[in-house]
Amino acid sequence: DPKIIQKPKYLVAVTGSEKILICEQYLGHNAMYWYRQSAKKPLEFMFSYSYQKLMDNQTASSRFQPQSSKKNHLDLQITALKPDDSATYFCASSQDGLSNERLFFGHGTKLSVL
Amino acid sequence: AQSVTQPDARVTVSEGASLQLRCKYSYFGTPYLFWYVQYPRQGLQLLLKYYPGDPVVQGVNGFEAEFSKSNSSFHLRKASVHWSDWAVYFCAVSLRGGRALIFGTGTTVSVSP
């Protein structure tokens, strides 16, 4: 059973629209992350949260907003979508957000922006 | 800035042959180093991780990696490849006190019969 659930698996959106990517983890972890993987770039760190607080933000655009309503949830809201946002978005978690910890990844949400 | 370089985008190896995947990192000091594997249509899974100490690290499924501070490298190897090892392999570095895991571009391993 997957312990990190990402919804939906596939998402098609129109340029200029807004979408929310869902992530829930059932590992009891205190830190959660978002990564993006596209054809043009390697796996790219976006955000990290620890105990529901934003710790790091490596995303230049404010169009990407993480939302943590519960400790085991970290959703990603993307506004004003652009074709360049097309990528697979991976949610991950670790026990406490320490730099030597193993990350556990979800299966990803593949976003296509037309 | 810290970075990770995987010079080989794709490697093809025969089943039963040995495998080595290269990884070079750029960081002043000794970072935490990881190898992750991504099987088709799945998220990444940890193969092994390095803490300062023994330079050779054992991982899952017969994989091991060797850290070299002088060469700034953390190469992955396996003595005998199985068809199920067909996947993309990522080297990653994490800084002490940092919270972001920085990944290389990945090496796709194809296994021929």
Side-chain angles (χ1 to χ4, degrees):
Chain A
D1 290 336
K3 300 299 184 185
I4 300 181
I5 298 173
Q6 290 189 243
K7 299 175 188 176
K9 286 187 178 179
Y10 302 97
L11 188 56
V12 179
V14 175
T15 296
S17 66
E18 171 184 316
K19 292 293 180 186
I20 296 179
L21 280 56
I22 306 294
C23 178
E24 307 169 1
Q25 57 92 3
Y26 296 94
L27 294 163
H29 288 168
N30 298 306
M32 296 185 71
Y33 312 80
W34 278 102
Y35 281 82
R36 174 170 55 192
Q37 185 179 42
S38 67
K40 297 177 183 178
K41 292 184 179 179
L43 203 58
E44 179 185 14
F45 170 75
M46 299 180 72
F47 300 97
S48 65
Y49 266 65
S50 181
Y51 295 88
Q52 289 190 269
K53 292 183 180 178
L54 178 66
M55 303 307 295
D56 283 306
N57 177 357
Q58 297 287 338
T59 303
S61 173
S62 60
R63 297 186 298 107
F64 294 83
Q65 291 294 327
Q67 299 171 345
S68 181
S69 59
K70 299 179 187 177
K71 191 179 103 170
N72 68 326
H73 281 230
L74 185 64
D75 300 336
L76 181 64
Q77 180 185 37
I78 314 175
T79 58
L81 278 160
K82 303 177 180 181
D84 273 353
D85 297 331
S86 297
T88 299
Y89 291 80
F90 287 101
C91 176
S93 70
S94 68
Q95 185 60 55
D96 290 308
L98 301 178
S99 52
N100 61 349
E101 288 177 350
R102 168 184 179 179
L103 293 188
F104 291 79
F105 285 82
H107 286 195
T109 292
K110 186 172 183 178
L111 172 65
S112 298
V113 183
L114 307 177
Chain B
Q2 67 278 5
S3 66
V4 178
T5 301
Q6 294 181 249
D8 304 309
R10 179 177 289 272
V11 169
T12 300
V13 62
S14 299
E15 191 169 15
S18 64
L19 172 70
Q20 176 169 284
L21 303 181
R22 296 182 290 167
C23 173
K24 301 268 287 184
Y25 67 91
S26 172
Y27 175 66
F28 183 75
T30 303
Y32 296 117
L33 293 159
F34 305 78
W35 276 98
Y36 282 80
V37 61
Q38 185 178 26
Y39 298 106
R41 294 175 296 282
Q42 293 188 30
L44 279 73
Q45 302 171 31
L46 181 70
L47 273 179
L48 49 81
K49 61 181 178 180
Y50 170 76
Y51 294 143
D54 190 338
V56 178
V57 182
Q58 302 296 323
V60 298
N61 299 333
F63 285 94
E64 66 176 26
E66 184 166 4
F67 169 74
S68 170
K69 187 172 183 178
S70 60
N71 293 325
S72 298
S73 67
F74 188 55
H75 300 330
L76 180 72
R77 56 192 185 218
K78 185 171 182 178
S80 178
V81 168
H82 187 261
W83 66 267
S84 59
D85 295 323
W86 193 315
V88 183
Y89 293 79
F90 292 92
C91 183
V93 61
S94 177
L95 307 180
R96 293 171 187 268
R99 302 182 192 277
L101 198 59
I102 309 300
F103 286 87
T105 50
T107 298
T108 299
V109 172
S110 302
V111 181
S112 61

